[in-house]
Amino acid sequence: GAVVSQHPSRVICKSGTSVKIECRSLDFQATTMFWYRQFPKQSLMLMATSNEGSKATYEQGVEKDKFLINHASLTLSTLTVTSAHPEDSSFYICSARLAVTNTGELFFGEGSRLTVL
Amino acid sequence: DAKTTQPNSMESNEEEPVHLPCNHSTISGTDYIHWYRQLPSQGPEYVIHGLTSNVNNRMASLAIAEDRKSSTLILHRATLRDAAVYYCILFRRIQGAQKLVFGQGTRLTINP
């Protein structure tokens, strides 16, 4: 199946710093990527939809200035958590959809665990 | 977003079949039924999807009720590696809103 890779898998940062997480589709082109956040023992919460070459669409309640998303190419999307605080500590997961499919299946990255001290 | 209802948890024994139910009574005619699973500390993994007919792949089978208001994911012979949270999700193909929204899922425990 299609492969999506995230980097870094784990990051620890100090409060007030910014952290960038990369999401790459390794063997296919992804016109659309999605970013999710997951707190312990909870389900995934969709944060935003990222379309190549255009601005991301954020879900209600997600601060676009806090979580900057860039999708500059068909194989790379980045999520930057700006001025991170301890409450931003979470498991961030990206996913991508094959450009040629419209039946919905997503391929997920391994996730990035962010810990803000 | 179209809603699905799943049991919070289920338990089964190794090498036995597992039937994971999902209710989706508000499903519309063009909604696809998707199943994903998530192992601890990993991203979700695609399992199977279908529209109207039953589907089989190397991982599982998907049985869809005739009225499409419910479906069942079938693991034919469970192994310990199948222990995960299983999510049943409806994918609605609406222009500009093609996203997957996860519910709470079913936590499947496999006993050795």
Side-chain angles (χ1 to χ4, degrees), chain A residues 41, chain B residues 6-21 37-40 75 77-86 105-112:
Chain A
K41 305 260 186 228
Chain B
Q6 299 176 254
N8 288 333
S9 63
M10 289 185 65
E11 201 169 321
S12 185
N13 297 318
E14 202 175 5
E15 298 188 4
E16 290 185 356
V18 180
H19 290 234
L20 296 163
R37 71 180 186 181
Q38 185 179 24
L39 279 66
L75 307 179
R77 197 160 168 267
T79 70
L80 295 178
R81 288 176 295 178
D82 291 322
V85 179
Y86 286 77
T106 296
R107 183 173 298 276
L108 176 65
T109 301
I110 303 296
N111 300 314

PDB file of all heavy atoms in Angstrom, chain A residues 41, chain B residues 6-21 37-40 75 77-86 105-112:
ATOM      1  N   LYS A  41      -5.951   8.068  25.194  1.00  0.00           N
ATOM      2  CA  LYS A  41      -7.201   7.331  25.379  1.00  0.00           C
ATOM      3  C   LYS A  41      -8.384   7.961  24.643  1.00  0.00           C
ATOM      4  O   LYS A  41      -9.534   7.636  24.943  1.00  0.00           O
ATOM      5  CB  LYS A  41      -7.547   7.238  26.874  1.00  0.00           C
ATOM      6  CG  LYS A  41      -6.439   6.634  27.712  1.00  0.00           C
ATOM      7  CD  LYS A  41      -6.693   5.203  28.008  1.00  0.00           C
ATOM      8  CE  LYS A  41      -5.645   4.658  28.955  1.00  0.00           C
ATOM      9  NZ  LYS A  41      -5.082   3.387  28.510  1.00  0.00           N
TER      10      LYS A  41
ATOM     11  N   GLN B   6     -20.550   2.322  17.599  1.00  0.00           N
ATOM     12  CA  GLN B   6     -19.839   1.061  17.795  1.00  0.00           C
ATOM     13  C   GLN B   6     -19.770   0.744  19.281  1.00  0.00           C
ATOM     14  O   GLN B   6     -19.763   1.657  20.113  1.00  0.00           O
ATOM     15  CB  GLN B   6     -18.403   1.169  17.267  1.00  0.00           C
ATOM     16  CG  GLN B   6     -18.248   1.469  15.804  1.00  0.00           C
ATOM     17  CD  GLN B   6     -16.773   1.634  15.436  1.00  0.00           C
ATOM     18  OE1 GLN B   6     -16.295   2.743  15.196  1.00  0.00           O
ATOM     19  NE2 GLN B   6     -16.055   0.522  15.402  1.00  0.00           N
ATOM     20  N   PRO B   7     -19.677  -0.538  19.626  1.00  0.00           N
ATOM     21  CA  PRO B   7     -19.456  -0.859  21.050  1.00  0.00           C
ATOM     22  C   PRO B   7     -18.095  -0.339  21.487  1.00  0.00           C
ATOM     23  O   PRO B   7     -17.146  -0.300  20.698  1.00  0.00           O
ATOM     24  CB  PRO B   7     -19.506  -2.400  21.078  1.00  0.00           C
ATOM     25  CG  PRO B   7     -19.340  -2.831  19.669  1.00  0.00           C
ATOM     26  CD  PRO B   7     -19.822  -1.738  18.795  1.00  0.00           C
ATOM     27  N   ASN B   8     -18.009   0.072  22.738  1.00  0.00           N
ATOM     28  CA  ASN B   8     -16.748   0.626  23.230  1.00  0.00           C
ATOM     29  C   ASN B   8     -15.627  -0.403  23.220  1.00  0.00           C
ATOM     30  O   ASN B   8     -14.471  -0.080  22.931  1.00  0.00           O
ATOM     31  CB  ASN B   8     -16.915   1.153  24.654  1.00  0.00           C
ATOM     32  CG  ASN B   8     -17.738   2.417  24.691  1.00  0.00           C
ATOM     33  OD1 ASN B   8     -17.776   3.172  23.733  1.00  0.00           O
ATOM     34  ND2 ASN B   8     -18.413   2.652  25.806  1.00  0.00           N
ATOM     35  N   SER B   9     -15.962  -1.630  23.552  1.00  0.00           N
ATOM     36  CA  SER B   9     -14.928  -2.658  23.625  1.00  0.00           C
ATOM     37  C   SER B   9     -15.496  -4.026  23.311  1.00  0.00           C
ATOM     38  O   SER B   9     -16.700  -4.256  23.442  1.00  0.00           O
ATOM     39  CB  SER B   9     -14.297  -2.667  25.021  1.00  0.00           C
ATOM     40  OG  SER B   9     -15.259  -2.998  26.000  1.00  0.00           O
ATOM     41  N   MET B  10     -14.612  -4.896  22.849  1.00  0.00           N
ATOM     42  CA  MET B  10     -14.957  -6.290  22.605  1.00  0.00           C
ATOM     43  C   MET B  10     -13.742  -7.147  22.924  1.00  0.00           C
ATOM     44  O   MET B  10     -12.603  -6.666  22.883  1.00  0.00           O
ATOM     45  CB  MET B  10     -15.391  -6.519  21.150  1.00  0.00           C
ATOM     46  CG  MET B  10     -16.734  -5.922  20.799  1.00  0.00           C
ATOM     47  SD  MET B  10     -17.263  -6.336  19.125  1.00  0.00           S
ATOM     48  CE  MET B  10     -17.472  -8.098  19.231  1.00  0.00           C
ATOM     49  N   GLU B  11     -14.026  -8.404  23.206  1.00  0.00           N
ATOM     50  CA  GLU B  11     -12.959  -9.318  23.561  1.00  0.00           C
ATOM     51  C   GLU B  11     -13.158 -10.621  22.804  1.00  0.00           C
ATOM     52  O   GLU B  11     -14.302 -11.062  22.597  1.00  0.00           O
ATOM     53  CB  GLU B  11     -13.014  -9.578  25.073  1.00  0.00           C
ATOM     54  CG  GLU B  11     -11.750 -10.072  25.692  1.00  0.00           C
ATOM     55  CD  GLU B  11     -11.814 -10.058  27.217  1.00  0.00           C
ATOM     56  OE1 GLU B  11     -12.390  -9.098  27.774  1.00  0.00           O
ATOM     57  OE2 GLU B  11     -11.307 -11.008  27.817  1.00  0.00           O
ATOM     58  N   SER B  12     -12.070 -11.214  22.380  1.00  0.00           N
ATOM     59  CA  SER B  12     -12.174 -12.482  21.675  1.00  0.00           C
ATOM     60  C   SER B  12     -10.927 -13.289  21.971  1.00  0.00           C
ATOM     61  O   SER B  12      -9.982 -12.808  22.614  1.00  0.00           O
ATOM     62  CB  SER B  12     -12.317 -12.243  20.170  1.00  0.00           C
ATOM     63  OG  SER B  12     -12.532 -13.462  19.500  1.00  0.00           O
ATOM     64  N   ASN B  13     -10.938 -14.517  21.478  1.00  0.00           N
ATOM     65  CA  ASN B  13      -9.795 -15.398  21.701  1.00  0.00           C
ATOM     66  C   ASN B  13      -9.005 -15.558  20.412  1.00  0.00           C
ATOM     67  O   ASN B  13      -9.538 -15.480  19.298  1.00  0.00           O
ATOM     68  CB  ASN B  13     -10.261 -16.757  22.203  1.00  0.00           C
ATOM     69  CG  ASN B  13     -10.957 -16.658  23.543  1.00  0.00           C
ATOM     70  OD1 ASN B  13     -10.525 -15.934  24.430  1.00  0.00           O
ATOM     71  ND2 ASN B  13     -12.057 -17.390  23.682  1.00  0.00           N
ATOM     72  N   GLU B  14      -7.732 -15.825  20.614  1.00  0.00           N
ATOM     73  CA  GLU B  14      -6.843 -16.032  19.475  1.00  0.00           C
ATOM     74  C   GLU B  14      -7.345 -17.187  18.614  1.00  0.00           C
ATOM     75  O   GLU B  14      -7.878 -18.171  19.123  1.00  0.00           O
ATOM     76  CB  GLU B  14      -5.440 -16.347  20.000  1.00  0.00           C
ATOM     77  CG  GLU B  14      -4.325 -16.080  19.023  1.00  0.00           C
ATOM     78  CD  GLU B  14      -2.960 -16.299  19.653  1.00  0.00           C
ATOM     79  OE1 GLU B  14      -2.899 -16.741  20.816  1.00  0.00           O
ATOM     80  OE2 GLU B  14      -1.967 -16.018  18.979  1.00  0.00           O
ATOM     81  N   GLU B  15      -7.185 -17.024  17.310  1.00  0.00           N
ATOM     82  CA  GLU B  15      -7.550 -18.013  16.308  1.00  0.00           C
ATOM     83  C   GLU B  15      -9.051 -18.208  16.148  1.00  0.00           C
ATOM     84  O   GLU B  15      -9.471 -19.113  15.419  1.00  0.00           O
ATOM     85  CB  GLU B  15      -6.849 -19.354  16.583  1.00  0.00           C
ATOM     86  CG  GLU B  15      -5.332 -19.248  16.527  1.00  0.00           C
ATOM     87  CD  GLU B  15      -4.638 -20.590  16.611  1.00  0.00           C
ATOM     88  OE1 GLU B  15      -5.332 -21.623  16.643  1.00  0.00           O
ATOM     89  OE2 GLU B  15      -3.403 -20.609  16.639  1.00  0.00           O
ATOM     90  N   GLU B  16      -9.841 -17.373  16.770  1.00  0.00           N
ATOM     91  CA  GLU B  16     -11.294 -17.421  16.576  1.00  0.00           C
ATOM     92  C   GLU B  16     -11.739 -16.247  15.714  1.00  0.00           C
ATOM     93  O   GLU B  16     -11.055 -15.212  15.654  1.00  0.00           O
ATOM     94  CB  GLU B  16     -12.010 -17.377  17.924  1.00  0.00           C
ATOM     95  CG  GLU B  16     -11.825 -18.652  18.732  1.00  0.00           C
ATOM     96  CD  GLU B  16     -12.635 -18.653  20.009  1.00  0.00           C
ATOM     97  OE1 GLU B  16     -13.292 -17.641  20.312  1.00  0.00           O
ATOM     98  OE2 GLU B  16     -12.598 -19.672  20.722  1.00  0.00           O
ATOM     99  N   PRO B  17     -12.884 -16.372  15.043  1.00  0.00           N
ATOM    100  CA  PRO B  17     -13.374 -15.233  14.255  1.00  0.00           C
ATOM    101  C   PRO B  17     -13.894 -14.126  15.165  1.00  0.00           C
ATOM    102  O   PRO B  17     -14.361 -14.387  16.285  1.00  0.00           O
ATOM    103  CB  PRO B  17     -14.512 -15.849  13.430  1.00  0.00           C
ATOM    104  CG  PRO B  17     -14.951 -17.033  14.214  1.00  0.00           C
ATOM    105  CD  PRO B  17     -13.741 -17.562  14.921  1.00  0.00           C
ATOM    106  N   VAL B  18     -13.808 -12.907  14.666  1.00  0.00           N
ATOM    107  CA  VAL B  18     -14.301 -11.744  15.400  1.00  0.00           C
ATOM    108  C   VAL B  18     -15.231 -10.962  14.483  1.00  0.00           C
ATOM    109  O   VAL B  18     -14.908 -10.712  13.331  1.00  0.00           O
ATOM    110  CB  VAL B  18     -13.146 -10.819  15.839  1.00  0.00           C
ATOM    111  CG1 VAL B  18     -13.694  -9.618  16.595  1.00  0.00           C
ATOM    112  CG2 VAL B  18     -12.136 -11.573  16.687  1.00  0.00           C
ATOM    113  N   HIS B  19     -16.381 -10.598  15.038  1.00  0.00           N
ATOM    114  CA  HIS B  19     -17.356  -9.801  14.288  1.00  0.00           C
ATOM    115  C   HIS B  19     -17.521  -8.468  15.001  1.00  0.00           C
ATOM    116  O   HIS B  19     -18.061  -8.402  16.109  1.00  0.00           O
ATOM    117  CB  HIS B  19     -18.704 -10.534  14.227  1.00  0.00           C
ATOM    118  CG  HIS B  19     -18.669 -11.753  13.359  1.00  0.00           C
ATOM    119  ND1 HIS B  19     -19.556 -11.958  12.317  1.00  0.00           N
ATOM    120  CD2 HIS B  19     -17.849 -12.826  13.347  1.00  0.00           C
ATOM    121  CE1 HIS B  19     -19.283 -13.108  11.722  1.00  0.00           C
ATOM    122  NE2 HIS B  19     -18.253 -13.662  12.323  1.00  0.00           N
ATOM    123  N   LEU B  20     -17.087  -7.403  14.360  1.00  0.00           N
ATOM    124  CA  LEU B  20     -17.168  -6.070  14.943  1.00  0.00           C
ATOM    125  C   LEU B  20     -18.323  -5.316  14.300  1.00  0.00           C
ATOM    126  O   LEU B  20     -18.287  -5.006  13.108  1.00  0.00           O
ATOM    127  CB  LEU B  20     -15.850  -5.316  14.716  1.00  0.00           C
ATOM    128  CG  LEU B  20     -14.633  -5.924  15.399  1.00  0.00           C
ATOM    129  CD1 LEU B  20     -13.349  -5.391  14.799  1.00  0.00           C
ATOM    130  CD2 LEU B  20     -14.670  -5.626  16.886  1.00  0.00           C
ATOM    131  N   PRO B  21     -19.354  -4.979  15.080  1.00  0.00           N
ATOM    132  CA  PRO B  21     -20.531  -4.333  14.482  1.00  0.00           C
ATOM    133  C   PRO B  21     -20.403  -2.819  14.425  1.00  0.00           C
ATOM    134  O   PRO B  21     -19.668  -2.208  15.207  1.00  0.00           O
ATOM    135  CB  PRO B  21     -21.650  -4.727  15.452  1.00  0.00           C
ATOM    136  CG  PRO B  21     -20.963  -4.806  16.784  1.00  0.00           C
ATOM    137  CD  PRO B  21     -19.554  -5.281  16.503  1.00  0.00           C
ATOM    138  N   ARG B  37      -7.982   0.690  11.647  1.00  0.00           N
ATOM    139  CA  ARG B  37      -7.629   0.241  12.985  1.00  0.00           C
ATOM    140  C   ARG B  37      -6.349   0.948  13.415  1.00  0.00           C
ATOM    141  O   ARG B  37      -5.537   1.356  12.583  1.00  0.00           O
ATOM    142  CB  ARG B  37      -7.457  -1.273  13.037  1.00  0.00           C
ATOM    143  CG  ARG B  37      -6.216  -1.822  12.328  1.00  0.00           C
ATOM    144  CD  ARG B  37      -6.161  -3.318  12.452  1.00  0.00           C
ATOM    145  NE  ARG B  37      -4.934  -3.877  11.911  1.00  0.00           N
ATOM    146  CZ  ARG B  37      -4.669  -5.180  11.891  1.00  0.00           C
ATOM    147  NH1 ARG B  37      -5.549  -6.056  12.374  1.00  0.00           N
ATOM    148  NH2 ARG B  37      -3.532  -5.607  11.387  1.00  0.00           N
ATOM    149  N   GLN B  38      -6.216   1.082  14.722  1.00  0.00           N
ATOM    150  CA  GLN B  38      -5.060   1.784  15.267  1.00  0.00           C
ATOM    151  C   GLN B  38      -4.440   0.953  16.383  1.00  0.00           C
ATOM    152  O   GLN B  38      -5.091   0.693  17.400  1.00  0.00           O
ATOM    153  CB  GLN B  38      -5.460   3.166  15.799  1.00  0.00           C
ATOM    154  CG  GLN B  38      -4.271   3.986  16.260  1.00  0.00           C
ATOM    155  CD  GLN B  38      -4.676   5.365  16.756  1.00  0.00           C
ATOM    156  OE1 GLN B  38      -5.802   5.590  17.172  1.00  0.00           O
ATOM    157  NE2 GLN B  38      -3.742   6.299  16.696  1.00  0.00           N
ATOM    158  N   LEU B  39      -3.205   0.571  16.161  1.00  0.00           N
ATOM    159  CA  LEU B  39      -2.441  -0.106  17.203  1.00  0.00           C
ATOM    160  C   LEU B  39      -1.864   0.948  18.134  1.00  0.00           C
ATOM    161  O   LEU B  39      -1.734   2.121  17.761  1.00  0.00           O
ATOM    162  CB  LEU B  39      -1.333  -0.955  16.573  1.00  0.00           C
ATOM    163  CG  LEU B  39      -1.753  -2.323  16.028  1.00  0.00           C
ATOM    164  CD1 LEU B  39      -2.695  -2.213  14.842  1.00  0.00           C
ATOM    165  CD2 LEU B  39      -0.550  -3.172  15.670  1.00  0.00           C
ATOM    166  N   PRO B  40      -1.504   0.565  19.343  1.00  0.00           N
ATOM    167  CA  PRO B  40      -0.990   1.551  20.318  1.00  0.00           C
ATOM    168  C   PRO B  40       0.200   2.338  19.780  1.00  0.00           C
ATOM    169  O   PRO B  40       1.115   1.768  19.192  1.00  0.00           O
ATOM    170  CB  PRO B  40      -0.592   0.670  21.505  1.00  0.00           C
ATOM    171  CG  PRO B  40      -1.460  -0.534  21.389  1.00  0.00           C
ATOM    172  CD  PRO B  40      -1.623  -0.784  19.925  1.00  0.00           C
ATOM    173  N   LEU B  75     -13.010 -10.394  11.175  1.00  0.00           N
ATOM    174  CA  LEU B  75     -11.641 -10.918  11.172  1.00  0.00           C
ATOM    175  C   LEU B  75     -11.786 -12.423  11.271  1.00  0.00           C
ATOM    176  O   LEU B  75     -12.301 -12.936  12.266  1.00  0.00           O
ATOM    177  CB  LEU B  75     -10.843 -10.369  12.359  1.00  0.00           C
ATOM    178  CG  LEU B  75     -10.825  -8.850  12.518  1.00  0.00           C
ATOM    179  CD1 LEU B  75     -10.017  -8.464  13.755  1.00  0.00           C
ATOM    180  CD2 LEU B  75     -10.255  -8.191  11.282  1.00  0.00           C
ATOM    181  N   ARG B  77      -9.767 -15.023  11.547  1.00  0.00           N
ATOM    182  CA  ARG B  77      -8.996 -15.812  12.509  1.00  0.00           C
ATOM    183  C   ARG B  77      -8.081 -14.845  13.250  1.00  0.00           C
ATOM    184  O   ARG B  77      -7.001 -14.510  12.784  1.00  0.00           O
ATOM    185  CB  ARG B  77      -8.205 -16.865  11.752  1.00  0.00           C
ATOM    186  CG  ARG B  77      -7.688 -18.000  12.581  1.00  0.00           C
ATOM    187  CD  ARG B  77      -7.350 -19.208  11.692  1.00  0.00           C
ATOM    188  NE  ARG B  77      -6.605 -20.214  12.414  1.00  0.00           N
ATOM    189  CZ  ARG B  77      -5.272 -20.299  12.451  1.00  0.00           C
ATOM    190  NH1 ARG B  77      -4.539 -19.456  11.749  1.00  0.00           N
ATOM    191  NH2 ARG B  77      -4.666 -21.236  13.153  1.00  0.00           N
ATOM    192  N   ALA B  78      -8.550 -14.387  14.393  1.00  0.00           N
ATOM    193  CA  ALA B  78      -7.846 -13.321  15.098  1.00  0.00           C
ATOM    194  C   ALA B  78      -6.490 -13.781  15.620  1.00  0.00           C
ATOM    195  O   ALA B  78      -6.325 -14.915  16.080  1.00  0.00           O
ATOM    196  CB  ALA B  78      -8.696 -12.832  16.263  1.00  0.00           C
ATOM    197  N   THR B  79      -5.529 -12.876  15.552  1.00  0.00           N
ATOM    198  CA  THR B  79      -4.226 -13.108  16.177  1.00  0.00           C
ATOM    199  C   THR B  79      -3.996 -12.007  17.212  1.00  0.00           C
ATOM    200  O   THR B  79      -4.739 -11.013  17.260  1.00  0.00           O
ATOM    201  CB  THR B  79      -3.089 -13.073  15.146  1.00  0.00           C
ATOM    202  OG1 THR B  79      -2.931 -11.717  14.694  1.00  0.00           O
ATOM    203  CG2 THR B  79      -3.400 -13.969  13.946  1.00  0.00           C
ATOM    204  N   LEU B  80      -2.972 -12.180  18.015  1.00  0.00           N
ATOM    205  CA  LEU B  80      -2.682 -11.179  19.043  1.00  0.00           C
ATOM    206  C   LEU B  80      -2.379  -9.819  18.403  1.00  0.00           C
ATOM    207  O   LEU B  80      -2.618  -8.773  19.003  1.00  0.00           O
ATOM    208  CB  LEU B  80      -1.505 -11.644  19.904  1.00  0.00           C
ATOM    209  CG  LEU B  80      -1.755 -12.906  20.732  1.00  0.00           C
ATOM    210  CD1 LEU B  80      -0.488 -13.298  21.503  1.00  0.00           C
ATOM    211  CD2 LEU B  80      -2.926 -12.729  21.694  1.00  0.00           C
ATOM    212  N   ARG B  81      -1.860  -9.849  17.177  1.00  0.00           N
ATOM    213  CA  ARG B  81      -1.533  -8.592  16.497  1.00  0.00           C
ATOM    214  C   ARG B  81      -2.762  -7.833  16.026  1.00  0.00           C
ATOM    215  O   ARG B  81      -2.650  -6.695  15.574  1.00  0.00           O
ATOM    216  CB  ARG B  81      -0.618  -8.880  15.310  1.00  0.00           C
ATOM    217  CG  ARG B  81       0.792  -9.274  15.699  1.00  0.00           C
ATOM    218  CD  ARG B  81       1.622  -9.635  14.501  1.00  0.00           C
ATOM    219  NE  ARG B  81       1.134 -10.831  13.830  1.00  0.00           N
ATOM    220  CZ  ARG B  81       1.670 -11.340  12.739  1.00  0.00           C
ATOM    221  NH1 ARG B  81       2.687 -10.744  12.158  1.00  0.00           N
ATOM    222  NH2 ARG B  81       1.172 -12.442  12.208  1.00  0.00           N
ATOM    223  N   ASP B  82      -3.926  -8.462  16.121  1.00  0.00           N
ATOM    224  CA  ASP B  82      -5.163  -7.770  15.736  1.00  0.00           C
ATOM    225  C   ASP B  82      -5.732  -6.938  16.881  1.00  0.00           C
ATOM    226  O   ASP B  82      -6.749  -6.257  16.699  1.00  0.00           O
ATOM    227  CB  ASP B  82      -6.212  -8.802  15.284  1.00  0.00           C
ATOM    228  CG  ASP B  82      -5.835  -9.458  13.965  1.00  0.00           C
ATOM    229  OD1 ASP B  82      -5.298  -8.759  13.082  1.00  0.00           O
ATOM    230  OD2 ASP B  82      -6.083 -10.671  13.833  1.00  0.00           O
ATOM    231  N   ALA B  83      -5.119  -7.003  18.035  1.00  0.00           N
ATOM    232  CA  ALA B  83      -5.576  -6.188  19.163  1.00  0.00           C
ATOM    233  C   ALA B  83      -5.324  -4.720  18.832  1.00  0.00           C
ATOM    234  O   ALA B  83      -4.191  -4.296  18.610  1.00  0.00           O
ATOM    235  CB  ALA B  83      -4.838  -6.571  20.428  1.00  0.00           C
ATOM    236  N   ALA B  84      -6.412  -3.948  18.767  1.00  0.00           N
ATOM    237  CA  ALA B  84      -6.313  -2.554  18.330  1.00  0.00           C
ATOM    238  C   ALA B  84      -7.654  -1.875  18.574  1.00  0.00           C
ATOM    239  O   ALA B  84      -8.628  -2.521  18.987  1.00  0.00           O
ATOM    240  CB  ALA B  84      -5.966  -2.495  16.838  1.00  0.00           C
ATOM    241  N   VAL B  85      -7.698  -0.580  18.290  1.00  0.00           N
ATOM    242  CA  VAL B  85      -8.978   0.126  18.259  1.00  0.00           C
ATOM    243  C   VAL B  85      -9.440   0.166  16.811  1.00  0.00           C
ATOM    244  O   VAL B  85      -8.689   0.590  15.927  1.00  0.00           O
ATOM    245  CB  VAL B  85      -8.853   1.553  18.822  1.00  0.00           C
ATOM    246  CG1 VAL B  85     -10.202   2.267  18.751  1.00  0.00           C
ATOM    247  CG2 VAL B  85      -8.345   1.518  20.264  1.00  0.00           C
ATOM    248  N   TYR B  86     -10.656  -0.298  16.578  1.00  0.00           N
ATOM    249  CA  TYR B  86     -11.215  -0.369  15.227  1.00  0.00           C
ATOM    250  C   TYR B  86     -12.254   0.730  15.042  1.00  0.00           C
ATOM    251  O   TYR B  86     -13.170   0.867  15.836  1.00  0.00           O
ATOM    252  CB  TYR B  86     -11.854  -1.744  14.982  1.00  0.00           C
ATOM    253  CG  TYR B  86     -10.818  -2.827  14.796  1.00  0.00           C
ATOM    254  CD1 TYR B  86     -10.144  -3.367  15.888  1.00  0.00           C
ATOM    255  CD2 TYR B  86     -10.485  -3.298  13.529  1.00  0.00           C
ATOM    256  CE1 TYR B  86      -9.177  -4.342  15.728  1.00  0.00           C
ATOM    257  CE2 TYR B  86      -9.512  -4.269  13.352  1.00  0.00           C
ATOM    258  CZ  TYR B  86      -8.863  -4.789  14.459  1.00  0.00           C
ATOM    259  OH  TYR B  86      -7.896  -5.747  14.289  1.00  0.00           O
ATOM    260  N   GLY B 105     -14.698   4.427  18.237  1.00  0.00           N
ATOM    261  CA  GLY B 105     -14.166   3.129  17.883  1.00  0.00           C
ATOM    262  C   GLY B 105     -14.432   2.045  18.906  1.00  0.00           C
ATOM    263  O   GLY B 105     -14.985   2.293  19.994  1.00  0.00           O
ATOM    264  N   THR B 106     -14.036   0.823  18.544  1.00  0.00           N
ATOM    265  CA  THR B 106     -14.152  -0.348  19.422  1.00  0.00           C
ATOM    266  C   THR B 106     -12.757  -0.842  19.759  1.00  0.00           C
ATOM    267  O   THR B 106     -11.956  -1.136  18.862  1.00  0.00           O
ATOM    268  CB  THR B 106     -14.916  -1.488  18.721  1.00  0.00           C
ATOM    269  OG1 THR B 106     -16.245  -1.090  18.451  1.00  0.00           O
ATOM    270  CG2 THR B 106     -14.926  -2.747  19.602  1.00  0.00           C
ATOM    271  N   ARG B 107     -12.478  -0.931  21.046  1.00  0.00           N
ATOM    272  CA  ARG B 107     -11.189  -1.470  21.477  1.00  0.00           C
ATOM    273  C   ARG B 107     -11.303  -2.984  21.530  1.00  0.00           C
ATOM    274  O   ARG B 107     -12.063  -3.528  22.333  1.00  0.00           O
ATOM    275  CB  ARG B 107     -10.811  -0.905  22.845  1.00  0.00           C
ATOM    276  CG  ARG B 107      -9.427  -1.369  23.315  1.00  0.00           C
ATOM    277  CD  ARG B 107      -9.026  -0.650  24.593  1.00  0.00           C
ATOM    278  NE  ARG B 107      -8.926   0.785  24.400  1.00  0.00           N
ATOM    279  CZ  ARG B 107      -7.868   1.411  23.920  1.00  0.00           C
ATOM    280  NH1 ARG B 107      -6.782   0.717  23.598  1.00  0.00           N
ATOM    281  NH2 ARG B 107      -7.880   2.720  23.786  1.00  0.00           N
ATOM    282  N   LEU B 108     -10.560  -3.660  20.669  1.00  0.00           N
ATOM    283  CA  LEU B 108     -10.607  -5.112  20.582  1.00  0.00           C
ATOM    284  C   LEU B 108      -9.441  -5.710  21.353  1.00  0.00           C
ATOM    285  O   LEU B 108      -8.279  -5.373  21.091  1.00  0.00           O
ATOM    286  CB  LEU B 108     -10.552  -5.574  19.134  1.00  0.00           C
ATOM    287  CG  LEU B 108     -10.489  -7.088  18.901  1.00  0.00           C
ATOM    288  CD1 LEU B 108     -11.761  -7.757  19.391  1.00  0.00           C
ATOM    289  CD2 LEU B 108     -10.250  -7.406  17.423  1.00  0.00           C
ATOM    290  N   THR B 109      -9.776  -6.587  22.282  1.00  0.00           N
ATOM    291  CA  THR B 109      -8.766  -7.320  23.052  1.00  0.00           C
ATOM    292  C   THR B 109      -8.774  -8.766  22.595  1.00  0.00           C
ATOM    293  O   THR B 109      -9.841  -9.375  22.462  1.00  0.00           O
ATOM    294  CB  THR B 109      -9.084  -7.262  24.554  1.00  0.00           C
ATOM    295  OG1 THR B 109      -9.113  -5.890  24.970  1.00  0.00           O
ATOM    296  CG2 THR B 109      -8.037  -8.011  25.368  1.00  0.00           C
ATOM    297  N   ILE B 110      -7.605  -9.307  22.339  1.00  0.00           N
ATOM    298  CA  ILE B 110      -7.495 -10.710  21.920  1.00  0.00           C
ATOM    299  C   ILE B 110      -6.790 -11.482  23.030  1.00  0.00           C
ATOM    300  O   ILE B 110      -5.670 -11.140  23.428  1.00  0.00           O
ATOM    301  CB  ILE B 110      -6.697 -10.853  20.612  1.00  0.00           C
ATOM    302  CG1 ILE B 110      -7.334 -10.015  19.503  1.00  0.00           C
ATOM    303  CG2 ILE B 110      -6.610 -12.329  20.198  1.00  0.00           C
ATOM    304  CD1 ILE B 110      -8.714 -10.444  19.098  1.00  0.00           C
ATOM    305  N   ASN B 111      -7.449 -12.497  23.517  1.00  0.00           N
ATOM    306  CA  ASN B 111      -6.876 -13.338  24.571  1.00  0.00           C
ATOM    307  C   ASN B 111      -6.105 -14.502  23.964  1.00  0.00           C
ATOM    308  O   ASN B 111      -6.572 -15.128  23.023  1.00  0.00           O
ATOM    309  CB  ASN B 111      -7.996 -13.877  25.469  1.00  0.00           C
ATOM    310  CG  ASN B 111      -8.775 -12.772  26.139  1.00  0.00           C
ATOM    311  OD1 ASN B 111      -8.194 -11.837  26.662  1.00  0.00           O
ATOM    312  ND2 ASN B 111     -10.093 -12.872  26.112  1.00  0.00           N
ATOM    313  N   PRO B 112      -4.918 -14.781  24.512  1.00  0.00           N
ATOM    314  CA  PRO B 112      -4.117 -15.906  23.985  1.00  0.00           C
ATOM    315  C   PRO B 112      -4.759 -17.255  24.308  1.00  0.00           C
ATOM    316  O   PRO B 112      -5.587 -17.363  25.199  1.00  0.00           O
ATOM    317  CB  PRO B 112      -2.759 -15.752  24.673  1.00  0.00           C
ATOM    318  CG  PRO B 112      -2.970 -14.824  25.795  1.00  0.00           C
ATOM    319  CD  PRO B 112      -4.216 -14.027  25.558  1.00  0.00           C
TER     320      PRO B 112
END
